[in-house]
Amino acid sequence: RVKNDSCKSTADLMSAYVSKEAGFGVPKEGWRICLAHVFKEKRKPFQAKDVSLSNMWEHIGLGIRYLRWWYKKTQVEKKAPFIDMFHALPLRQIYGAPLGGIGGGTITRGWRGEFCRWQLNPGMYHYKTVMADQFTVCLRRGGQTVYQQVLSVEHPSTLQGWNWGYCGEYAFYHALYPRAWTVYHLPGQNVTLTCRQISPVIPHDYKDSSLPVAVFIWDIENKNDYALEVSIMFTMVNGSGHKDDSTGGHWNEPFHLEKEGKALSGVLLHHCTAVNPYTLCISAREQPDRKVSHQTAFSPSGTCSGLWSDLMTDGRLDSPSGSSPPTQKGEKVAAALAVGCSVPAHGHNDVEFCLAWDMPLITFGSRERKHVRRYTRYFGSKGEASPSLSHYALTHYKEWERRIEEWQSPILQDSSLPSWYKSALFNELYFVADGGTVWTELAEDADVSGGVRSEDGGLPAQPDVIKEYGRFAYLEGQEYRMYNTYDVHFYASFALIMLWPKLALSVQYDIAGSVVQQDLTERLHLMSGMYSPVKTKNVVPHDIGDPDDEPWHRLNAYLIHDTAGWKDLNLKFVLQVYRDFHITQDNQYLKDMWPICQAVMESEIKFDLDGDGLIENSGYADQTYDGWTVTGPSAYCGGLWLASLCVMCKMARLVDTEKTYQHYKDILDRGSAAFDKLLWNGKYYNYDSSGKYHSNSVMSDQCAGHWFLKASAFGDEDYQAFPKEKIQSSLKSIFDLNVMAFAGGQMGAVNGMRPEGVPDRSSVQSDEVWIGVVYGLAATMIHEGMREEGMHTAEGCYRTVWERLGMAFQTPEAYCEKNIYRSLAYMRPLSIWAMQLALNMTQKDQSLFHITVLMNSPLRIN
């Protein structure tokens, strides 16, 4: 069995670092990279030319229909297609931990220090490095400036009056989300700076976690025999590098706020667009031993030598009073804030900055409704919250850090867990905030029930959990812009239910309300070329909409398949309902969801065409992998069906009658026998029962239904849908073939593998690795006592994405063994938290075992 050399792969990212400085308070665990590192491997996004001739021929109709739809969307409607197959994102190996809490927009600061990815308008990204957004250090001794440097390795064509080109070999970046550290050793100065960025992403916190703020703490270590005066300057453009930066009408103003005995000052940058206007704010605490100064406005387009000279003269800025005039069309404006302090010989000091943004009211692409962001519950919705947000952040960040460390420490200090896993577990959480995430208040007139009241088997119009905790939505991916894509949320939801369970339940109520809705408008579906209703009753929607349209109000943005075809969505809804109940023990939630679960299961039973208790699949009805045709029962959808029957039996015993229990138990017994007869081949479950070439392929995700049962604490004695020995045999086959026989065992599990040990290439996705599926597979292995195999399987994905391919903080949906990746920054890898749940449960089981042994031992201590 091949073992990864974790020390070597981590060392590769730091091999260019020439300094011995470790920085101030930088943790051991996390993702670390030298600012001079260059990734050797360059990959390209999946494009039409990457489709084999055989697959292209099968999908030629889809291609023509998509082209027509794309043209109408982009050229006629002038909107961004939610999947743009002609303009896939190129790989930029630059991203670091995003800034900001959950649902208020994000700004990403790259690992080399650049502000380079922006998602302020909900769900819509642009990828622009704004060169003037920088930190600069000024060192003074004896009243003279001895060193002044922009802390950037860039050499831009603008702002030539500044000293650019910091040597990246003397700095490194370290990320452990939601915090990150950048350590800069200043060559020849005997000074080391450590910039620590903190975002308020805190489990089980539904206030501070919603705030659109980030704090930067600059720790300064002076290893000279003399004291220094040190200033850090923070510059920020009024805007995000988007074309609307130069539309005119934007303006800046200085401010000062004193509250509860603590004061701060800074600059407000008012970005006055017609749609979704916002205010950026840079600020710092006023303290007796800190010198805070500012420059209200400067042009980021010229040499800007005046600002540079201003700081160099005395380590401070001029601090003019009054606002800047509104910009003219074509003009851009920026602001600067400087904080200075004394650092004694062989001593330490620090300065603090806050970056906040306030876009309280948002509209999506249709501009039909205004939505109110969650944080406004605490800071108001008038667009005047930036100073208060900044004050709150600068006076509470220490408490945030204490709570973050309290949450992370038990995992970080667990010596049985490998370092790569600790990095992956926390850093993959970036997508909860940076997945185009919106978190809004429930409008007073909103009705999430779909029009069917509780007494008629529906939901309350305004369930308590949504009233109290708001509505939550995140994208399938930054390139696949559909909110709450449910078949993918099935995997990613482990992060929410474990860390923000109220948000997980809120999503479930929204989905449940949409189940009973119907929209019988006929619409062309691109895969089949046929017209069918947008949404039929008692079917779970694929998603809740497109950010360039109107999420929550027009369901199912997806056009590739008709809604009725996604039969696995209904099953995934039922499985999530019970898992969420198991974790939260929320009885009202179970009571509300039970009639919805019954409705969707009864709509599935009609697909049991031959009455054997197992639902049939035809064509693309089983959405296992696009392009991998399924005929007859399949391991994936059939396994989800049996698992759903198991949880229906369990829920019936909790909330309903024995008659209902027997109804589902009878189907389960017949279905289990049919599943085994049709799909078990003695080593694993066949892909499907069609008898076609690929029907006996080894599918890495064949145990997904069993995985959810284990995550819901179903024991071996509960329901024998999947005999333990067959699950373990299947997992061994997957490990031997999909993992170890693929890419030398170093890249995770390929989706499909032929039993002779070559990847299944019968579809455009069967020879891909889906990172989120791999993490779910690893969790299943851990549940089944195959911890070493599970860890090795998942490690291949982490090493590939984060260390080889430079995809940090943009983990894609998929990659192939060579050359290709698909859909950067994707939801599904949040499923790594399923691994943590499995570890928690196995450790709990071991603890209970030891307690039982002690209690039954003649030497037990009372």
Side-chain angles (χ1 to χ4, degrees):
R1 207 174 276 175
V2 179
K3 296 286 288 185
N4 280 329
D5 185 347
S6 60
C7 294
K8 181 180 183 300
S9 56
T10 302
D12 285 346
L13 298 179
M14 288 292 290
S15 61
Y17 187 58
V18 300
S19 173
K20 303 298 183 185
E21 295 297 320
F24 188 86
V26 182
K28 174 186 174 184
E29 310 292 359
W31 180 71
R32 185 173 293 191
I33 185 169
C34 175
L35 268 60
H37 182 77
V38 177
F39 288 97
K40 297 183 180 71
E41 187 167 351
K42 310 294 182 183
R43 290 212 168 194
K44 295 181 179 180
F46 177 85
Q47 298 175 13
K49 65 181 178 63
D50 300 306
V51 180
S52 68
L53 287 176
S54 59
N55 282 311
M56 190 174 293
W57 180 253
E58 289 181 13
H59 295 93
I60 193 166
L62 167 63
I64 294 170
R65 288 186 289 272
Y66 176 83
L67 181 60
R68 289 172 177 166
W69 173 82
W70 181 89
Y71 181 85
K72 179 183 177 184
K73 192 81 172 176
T74 59
Q75 305 304 309
V76 179
E77 298 177 12
K78 303 297 183 183
K79 289 193 173 185
F82 48 80
I83 297 181
D84 192 339
M85 295 181 181
F86 298 110
H87 298 97
L89 285 180
L91 177 60
R92 301 176 69 204
Q93 298 162 316
I94 64 172
Y95 296 114
L99 303 166
I102 300 171
T106 47
I107 299 170
T108 297
R109 188 167 180 250
W111 52 266
R112 293 184 302 182
E114 60 271 74
F115 290 77
C116 53
R117 183 168 68 195
W118 307 80
Q119 190 260 144
L120 298 177
N121 282 313
M124 304 301 288
Y125 284 80
H126 68 278
Y127 305 85
K128 177 73 174 180
T129 296
V130 182
M131 200 53 64
D133 293 354
Q134 297 290 348
F135 288 100
T136 297
V137 61
C138 174
L139 305 182
R140 293 176 57 79
R141 180 186 177 194
Q144 298 293 320
T145 295
V146 296
Y147 180 87
Q148 188 160 299
Q149 173 74 52
V150 183
L151 294 169
S152 169
V153 299
E154 301 290 343
H155 294 83
S157 58
T158 57
L159 301 167
Q160 290 291 297
W162 296 8
N163 184 25
W164 294 91
Y166 173 85
C167 182
E169 295 175 354
Y170 289 88
F172 70 87
Y173 177 85
H174 185 96
L176 191 65
Y177 189 76
R179 296 189 294 172
W181 295 255
T182 314
V183 176
Y184 303 87
H185 179 63
L186 306 184
Q189 304 303 315
N190 250 354
V191 172
T192 300
L193 308 175
T194 303
C195 175
R196 182 168 88 257
Q197 72 177 52
I198 307 148
S199 294
V201 178
I202 305 164
H204 305 286
D205 181 297
Y206 299 93
K207 177 188 176 185
D208 292 4
S209 291
S210 72
L211 304 183
V213 298
V215 175
F216 299 95
I217 311 302
W218 286 84
D219 287 291
I220 307 160
E221 297 174 273
N222 177 15
K223 298 186 178 180
N224 292 293
D225 295 328
Y226 47 82
L228 286 169
E229 294 291 321
V230 180
S231 296
I232 303 290
M233 179 174 70
F234 185 14
T235 51
M236 201 79 186
V237 171
N238 186 331
S240 59
H242 193 264
K243 60 184 179 181
D244 64 21
D245 290 2
S246 55
T247 55
H250 313 310
W251 58 287
N252 302 342
E253 64 171 326
F255 79 95
H256 175 85
L257 175 65
E258 186 166 352
K259 188 191 302 184
E260 299 168 352
K262 296 177 181 177
L264 76 159
S265 59
V267 184
L268 301 174
L269 294 80
H270 301 292
H271 198 74
C272 303
T273 50
V275 179
N276 297 338
Y278 62 91
T279 298
L280 287 167
C281 175
I282 53 176
S283 63
R285 286 266 309 276
E286 295 273 10
Q287 300 178 75
D289 55 348
R290 303 289 189 279
K291 300 172 183 176
V292 181
S293 57
H294 72 269
Q295 181 57 258
T296 308
F298 70 90
S299 171
S301 303
T303 63
C304 204
S305 55
L307 180 70
W308 190 261
S309 299
D310 187 7
L311 182 67
M312 183 173 281
T313 300
D314 57 4
R316 303 186 68 179
L317 300 174
D318 283 347
S319 298
S321 59
S323 305
S324 69
T327 57
Q328 299 298 309
K329 189 173 183 178
E331 180 186 10
K332 298 179 182 179
V333 66
L337 185 72
V339 184
C341 67
S342 296
V343 188
H346 299 284
H348 163 267
N349 210 338
D350 61 55
V351 298
E352 308 166 336
F353 291 92
C354 179
L355 172 64
W357 51 98
D358 182 24
M359 184 192 286
L361 305 177
I362 53 175
T363 60
F364 294 99
S366 70
R367 303 186 189 179
E368 291 180 19
R369 295 172 171 83
K370 283 194 173 180
H371 301 264
V372 182
R373 279 185 155 144
R374 166 73 177 184
Y375 73 88
T376 61
R377 174 178 293 205
Y378 313 104
F379 288 90
S381 58
K382 296 182 179 179
E384 304 169 346
S386 292
S388 296
L389 281 165
S390 302
H391 187 281
Y392 187 86
L394 287 168
T395 54
H396 285 78
Y397 77 85
K398 292 181 180 178
E399 173 65 12
W400 295 344
E401 289 199 281
R402 183 193 67 77
R403 293 166 64 193
I404 290 168
E405 289 170 0
E406 186 179 74
W407 157 46
Q408 294 184 339
S409 289
I411 295 170
L412 298 179
Q413 294 171 7
D414 187 342
S415 60
S416 72
L417 296 174
S419 292
W420 70 263
Y421 171 77
K422 298 169 184 177
S423 173
L425 184 70
F426 293 113
N427 284 323
E428 290 288 9
L429 264 183
Y430 83 96
F431 196 85
V432 170
D434 201 25
T437 313
V438 289
W439 185 1
T440 66
E441 295 288 3
L442 183 65
E444 291 184 4
D445 61 347
D447 181 351
V448 306
S449 71
V452 180
R453 292 288 176 256
S454 301
E455 56 270 21
D456 299 316
L459 299 171
Q462 296 203 336
D464 289 343
V465 70
I466 301 187
K467 281 199 295 185
E468 177 60 28
Y469 297 99
R471 294 182 115 165
F472 179 85
Y474 59 157
L475 296 176
E476 179 178 338
Q478 292 180 11
E479 290 193 81
Y480 290 6
R481 291 189 307 274
M482 294 160 281
Y483 274 121
N484 293 353
T485 301
Y486 202 72
D487 64 310
V488 184
H489 173 70
F490 176 74
Y491 297 82
S493 60
F494 281 89
L496 285 184
I497 196 59
M498 292 174 68
L499 302 175
W500 293 276
K502 302 298 185 183
L503 296 183
L505 298 189
S506 175
V507 170
Q508 288 291 85
Y509 273 102
D510 257 324
I511 292 294
S514 70
V515 166
V516 300
Q517 295 180 24
Q518 64 180 12
D519 180 351
L520 300 180
T521 305
E522 293 283 313
R523 184 175 64 183
L524 176 68
H525 291 275
L526 301 186
M527 179 62 77
S528 65
M530 298 173 64
Y531 284 85
S532 61
V534 170
K535 172 72 172 64
T536 52
K537 191 173 182 180
N538 294 336
V539 171
V540 174
H542 173 271
D543 57 82
I544 63 163
D546 170 5
D548 206 22
D549 190 6
E550 190 62 35
W552 287 306
H553 298 283
R554 277 194 292 279
L555 300 173
N556 199 45
Y558 205 63
L559 296 176
I560 302 299
H561 306 280
D562 63 74
T563 312
W566 289 83
K567 294 202 299 295
D568 61 327
L569 296 176
N570 283 2
L571 310 177
K572 288 174 175 178
F573 176 78
V574 172
L575 290 170
Q576 286 191 71
V577 164
Y578 185 77
R579 181 210 54 189
D580 296 351
F581 165 72
H582 165 69
I583 290 175
T584 64
Q585 293 296 298
D586 188 324
N587 292 318
Q588 184 60 49
Y589 167 74
L590 184 62
K591 181 180 177 182
D592 288 341
M593 293 296 159
W594 173 244
I596 310 295
C597 289
Q598 286 183 289
V600 299
M601 286 297 285
E602 293 305 314
S603 75
E604 292 288 306
I605 289 175
K606 65 185 179 183
F607 293 104
D608 179 12
L609 303 180
D610 55 10
D612 65 354
L614 194 61
I615 58 174
E616 308 289 331
N617 306 295
S618 59
Y620 288 87
D622 179 343
Q623 294 313 319
T624 304
Y625 299 113
D626 291 345
W628 211 357
T629 306
V630 180
T631 304
S634 72
Y636 185 73
C637 213
L640 294 174
W641 168 247
L642 295 182
S644 298
L645 290 168
C646 287
V647 302
M648 289 299 286
C649 290
K650 195 115 175 179
M651 289 191 288
R653 280 275 170 90
L654 291 170
V655 300
D656 210 305
T657 63
E658 186 67 16
K659 181 180 178 181
T660 304
Y661 164 79
Q662 287 296 337
H663 169 65
Y664 291 112
K665 183 64 166 63
D666 174 64
I667 301 172
L668 173 61
D669 290 342
R670 289 185 287 114
S672 297
F675 186 77
D676 193 74
K677 177 182 177 181
L678 290 168
L679 294 165
W680 179 250
N681 66 17
K683 290 186 177 180
Y684 57 89
Y685 293 103
N686 284 338
Y687 174 70
D688 71 10
S689 56
S690 68
K692 294 182 179 179
Y693 163 74
H694 62 254
S695 67
N696 66 338
S697 288
V698 186
M699 182 186 179
S700 65
D701 208 12
Q702 65 184 264
C703 299
H706 176 76
W707 164 40
F708 255 72
L709 293 183
K710 297 300 288 187
S712 304
F714 274 68
D716 298 332
E717 71 287 348
D718 281 331
Y719 300 99
Q720 285 296 315
F722 310 101
K724 186 176 183 68
E725 65 275 9
K726 293 183 178 179
I727 288 293
Q728 293 188 334
S729 177
S730 296
L731 292 173
K732 183 180 185 303
S733 296
I734 294 166
F735 185 73
D736 290 343
L737 288 167
N738 300 58
V739 180
M740 299 307 295
F742 174 74
Q746 299 295 297
M747 293 183 72
V750 67
N751 282 336
M753 182 66 89
R754 299 294 301 140
E756 59 268 25
V758 296
D760 185 320
R761 304 190 191 279
S762 62
S763 86
V764 294
Q765 297 178 353
S766 55
D767 65 343
E768 292 181 333
V769 175
W770 289 7
I771 297 92
V773 165
V774 173
Y775 289 151
L777 168 63
T780 313
M781 291 177 172
I782 293 168
H783 280 299
E784 288 300 325
M786 300 170 63
R787 175 166 167 162
E788 181 181 347
E789 292 88 343
M791 284 294 181
H792 181 90
T793 298
E795 181 179 0
C797 284
Y798 175 80
R799 300 290 185 194
T800 301
V801 169
W802 290 77
E803 295 179 352
R804 270 184 51 202
L805 303 185
M807 294 177 172
F809 298 101
Q810 53 180 332
T811 304
E813 158 72 320
Y815 56 76
C816 293
E817 184 175 0
K818 296 178 181 178
N819 303 326
I820 302 299
Y821 67 85
R822 186 169 56 78
S823 188
L824 288 172
Y826 200 75
M827 177 199 289
R828 202 187 317 255
L830 286 171
S831 62
I832 193 170
W833 279 86
M835 292 179 65
Q836 188 58 35
L837 179 63
L839 290 167
N840 292 347
M841 293 176 72
T842 54
Q843 289 168 357
K844 182 180 178 182
D845 289 343
Q846 290 169 358
S847 299
L848 290 173
F849 172 77
H850 291 309
I851 291 169
T852 302
V853 170
L854 285 171
M855 291 297 290
N856 290 284
S857 167
L859 299 177
R860 71 175 183 267
I861 300 172
N862 292 321

